[in-house]
Amino acid sequence: MRSVAFFRNLNQGQRGCPTSATLDGAFAAAGASGIDLFQSDGTVVFSAHDPVICVEVAAKAVRRVFHAGFAASDCGAPLHDRD
């Protein structure tokens, strides 16, 4: 199932914030597949067996590296009518 995660205050690519490649890699390492990043605000569409756990693991990995003050909102919300 495709899911979406919305990150607030991520500012991809800005100084001191994760790049798109970093965010994509964090989701891949957390077990996500079919990862699509939209805009630069941290909207991630992905597939995972357990989307909530996947987002938590990816967010922790990015926070560890960047000590960013971003937060995941509506983590792992299913995208209905898509698959």
Side-chain angles (χ1 to χ4, degrees):
M1 171 182 6
R2 302 278 285 164
S3 299
V4 63
F6 302 102
F7 289 89
R8 294 185 309 239
N9 302 322
L10 188 75
N11 300 319
Q12 280 170 251
Q14 298 296 316
R15 192 175 80 140
C17 292
T19 63
S20 295
T22 299
L23 189 57
D24 185 276
F27 269 83
S33 62
I35 303 161
D36 293 312
L37 305 175
F38 292 92
Q39 301 175 354
S40 62
D41 62 359
T43 301
V44 183
V45 178
F46 63 99
S47 296
H49 177 71
D50 188 333
V52 173
I53 297 295
C54 183
V55 171
E56 289 173 358
V57 169
K60 284 179 186 175
V62 173
R63 263 191 220 107
R64 259 194 311 274
V65 173
F66 289 92
H67 309 288
F70 67 86
S73 170
D74 298 326
C75 295
L79 286 177
H80 298 291
D81 303 322
R82 295 185 81 169
D83 209 8

